Amino acid sequence: MMLLLTGGLPSLGHAQTVNYAAPIVITKGGTYTGNYQSLSSATPCVRIATNDPVILEGCIFSGAGNLIVAGEGADLTVRNCTGQGLAPTVNNQAPGRFLDTYRAKNLTVEHNAFTQTSGIVVNRWSSSGQAGQTLTVRYNKVRNIDGRWLNGGSTRSSFLILNTVARVSGVDVSYNEIINAPNESLVEDNINLYNSSGTAQSSIRIHDNFVRGAYPYPATAAKFTGTGLTTDGDASTLDEAAGYVEADHNQFVGTANAAMNIAAGHDIYYHDNRLVTSGSLPNGQRLNAGWAALGVFNYYNQPSSVYFNNRVQNNTIGYVSWNSNSPYTDRLDLSPGACDPCTGTIHLPNPITTATEDAEATMWQAKLQQAGITVGPINGSTTPPTTTPAPGSGLVVNPGFELDGAAVDTPTGWSTWVGNGSSASADYTEAYGGAHSGTYHGTHWRLAG
């Protein structure tokens, strides 16, 4: 007998609960571990109000607003933590950021897992350039960046946006896994560098990341302006503009509109990336908002002293754009008239399908295994990327079976309970046969008898 379960039914297992403390304000340096929840969009779970080094280690956050906020001069490490965004409590506002900083001087965000937030914002920078003061974002496991409002409308949200983080050396953004499910998320650029730059001696490095999903809402809509990665910004001087960026060995999969754009800046180098979009959603519907995988264009009409020396080389591309024809039928791998610096492109053969996208995910897992890297919390942490609010709320972890971003044998947040003498048989998620909402449903298969 086979029983198909739609998202939200608790028959497959038991929800996991967490006991939360009230929001806190940290005024002294040190290492902090705990579980914190805020049910107000106006109140973060944790606010950092000191310039002394602070480490948030192994924490669990659940909030309707920003989960972590840090002000000017912050020296912050967030490690082995999990975060769950909750529905906003006010109109015209998206779920909160996992981390929102203003003029920090040193940030490390690594081995975390967070879902249904509006990502990480690094707004300006205050470091004096002392040794060891830089920005590191790596080894994070992220699900469903979400800029949607309760009352319709949205805020442009990214996994990571650097806003006017200028002339900072040693910046490293690497080995992050970001999966956005259609109709469960609304991301703009997964990574956006707005008037942000490295130095001539030390470019901002964005490498070895896996990004799957950049969709409009609803996912079948015809218009969308998001991407996998975009350099951005309206600066009119060299010192203020985006620049000195190197992005390589990333995988951008299933991104409507575009995978990678250079819309502003100088000395930007994209190379050896894989850009694969099938033009279809996992349920077989068409992705109507696709344009071209790669584009290099001076969106802000910056002067030639600001927009120059941008290179794009040796990228592997298979990007479906319906009714286009470059290099093959229903393909647009390079933006027409907007990819002059693009050389050495490897065009994948047709057909490009959702199976091709799935193969990229398999390649990513093999890459992690070969490198000996774990994304998400480590050091004994077994907490899944999502957690329920305080006990008694009755909410279910991963109710729609979308959090894993793929069909899996052990769905996050679910387990099997059987009576004495009974066989557990098999539980798994799949897209076959459709779903009540989203892409996947839970399946419990049980032997007769």
Side-chain angles (χ1 to χ4, degrees), residues 25-55:
V25 177
I26 294 175
T27 58
K28 295 181 179 180
T31 299
Y32 294 80
T33 299
N35 307 330
Y36 306 100
Q37 184 177 65
S38 171
L39 299 179
S40 168
S41 289
T43 305
C45 296
V46 174
R47 182 181 295 277
I48 310 299
T50 177
N51 293 343
D52 295 332
V54 170
I55 299 173

Side-chain angles (χ1 to χ4, degrees), residues 260-277:
M260 302 179 76
N261 282 338
I262 300 176
H266 63 92
D267 295 289
I268 297 160
Y269 185 26
Y270 290 174
H271 65 95
D272 296 288
N273 301 286
R274 297 182 63 86
L275 317 178
V276 176
T277 292

Side-chain angles (χ1 to χ4, degrees), residues 30-34 54-61 68 76-82 98-99 108-113 136 138-140 376-379 381:
T31 299
Y32 294 80
T33 299
V54 170
I55 299 173
L56 299 177
E57 176 78 45
C59 297
I60 300 176
F61 309 108
I68 309 165
L76 175 63
T77 297
V78 184
R79 186 169 56 218
N80 290 323
C81 295
T82 66
F98 176 72
L99 172 63
T108 298
V109 184
E110 61 183 7
H111 285 298
N112 302 290
T136 302
R138 61 186 179 184
Y139 314 141
N140 297 291
I378 56 172
N379 296 335
S381 174

Side-chain angles (χ1 to χ4, degrees), residues 80-84 98 109-117 120 137-145 159 174-180 209-210 364-365 368 374-378 383-386 402-405 408 410-412:
N80 290 323
C81 295
T82 66
Q84 171 69 58
F98 176 72
V109 184
E110 61 183 7
H111 285 298
N112 302 290
F114 50 97
T115 188
Q116 228 69 45
T117 74
I120 299 170
V137 180
R138 61 186 179 184
Y139 314 141
N140 297 291
K141 186 175 185 179
V142 182
R143 297 294 184 268
N144 290 343
I145 298 300
F159 155 63
S174 61
Y175 288 100
N176 298 288
E177 178 184 285
I178 303 101
I179 297 177
N180 300 303
N209 298 285
F210 180 82
W364 163 247
Q365 292 299 326
L368 291 177
T374 298
V375 295
I378 56 172
T383 306
T386 57
E402 303 291 335
L403 288 179
D404 299 293
V408 297
T410 54
T412 294

Side-chain angles (χ1 to χ4, degrees), residues 203-221:
S203 294
I204 293 175
R205 289 295 314 284
I206 300 175
H207 65 95
D208 297 290
N209 298 285
F210 180 82
V211 175
R212 185 171 188 176
Y215 307 104
Y217 184 80
T220 54

Side-chain angles (χ1 to χ4, degrees), residues 195-408:
N195 289 339
S196 294
S197 58
T199 68
Q201 296 75 33
S202 177
S203 294
I204 293 175
R205 289 295 314 284
I206 300 175
H207 65 95
D208 297 290
N209 298 285
F210 180 82
V211 175
R212 185 171 188 176
Y215 307 104
Y217 184 80
T220 54
K223 294 183 179 180
F224 184 63
T225 56
T227 67
L229 166 64
T230 292
T231 61
D232 204 352
D234 57 358
S236 58
T237 67
L238 192 64
D239 281 348
E240 296 173 330
Y244 300 119
V245 175
E246 182 177 5
D248 60 279
H249 296 92
N250 302 287
Q251 292 170 265
F252 294 104
V253 180
T255 58
N257 183 45
M260 302 179 76
N261 282 338
I262 300 176
H266 63 92
D267 295 289
I268 297 160
Y269 185 26
Y270 290 174
H271 65 95
D272 296 288
N273 301 286
R274 297 182 63 86
L275 317 178
V276 176
T277 292
S278 67
S280 297
L281 301 173
N283 63 5
Q285 291 180 295
R286 274 197 175 189
L287 180 63
N288 297 308
W291 173 237
L294 263 173
V296 182
F297 51 94
N298 188 356
Y299 181 80
Y300 297 93
N301 294 316
Q302 293 174 315
S304 59
S305 59
V306 174
Y307 190 87
F308 67 94
N309 197 31
N310 297 318
R311 297 177 293 155
V312 179
Q313 296 178 339
N314 304 330
N315 297 287
T316 299
I317 306 178
Y319 193 94
V320 171
S321 180
W322 299 110
N323 301 316
S324 296
N325 194 33
S326 179
Y328 310 119
T329 302
D330 290 324
R331 290 273 292 277
L332 199 57
D333 290 359
L334 304 178
S335 186
C339 219
D340 289 342
C342 303
T343 63
T345 302
I346 300 169
H347 299 282
L348 294 174
N350 274 344
I352 304 297
T353 67
T354 53
T356 316
E357 294 187 4
D358 290 341
E360 291 294 314
T362 300
M363 186 182 303
W364 163 247
Q365 292 299 326
K367 181 179 186 177
L368 291 177
Q369 185 175 11
Q370 184 175 9
I373 290 173
T374 298
V375 295
I378 56 172
N379 296 335
S381 174
T382 58
T383 306
T386 57
T387 57
T388 63
S393 65
L395 298 183
V396 177
V397 172
N398 191 15
F401 302 102
E402 303 291 335
L403 288 179
D404 299 293
V408 297

Side-chain angles (χ1 to χ4, degrees), residues 1-14 396-402 411 413-417 424 426-446:
M1 178 180 71
M2 180 173 286
L3 176 65
L4 300 181
L5 302 177
T6 57
L9 294 178
S11 307
L12 200 61
H14 303 282
V396 177
V397 172
N398 191 15
F401 302 102
E402 303 291 335
W414 294 87
S415 59
T416 302
W417 180 89
D427 300 323
Y428 51 92
T429 58
E430 60 180 346
Y432 176 78
H436 180 69
S437 64
T439 301
Y440 301 101
H441 59 252
T443 297
H444 176 71
W445 183 88
R446 184 170 176 78

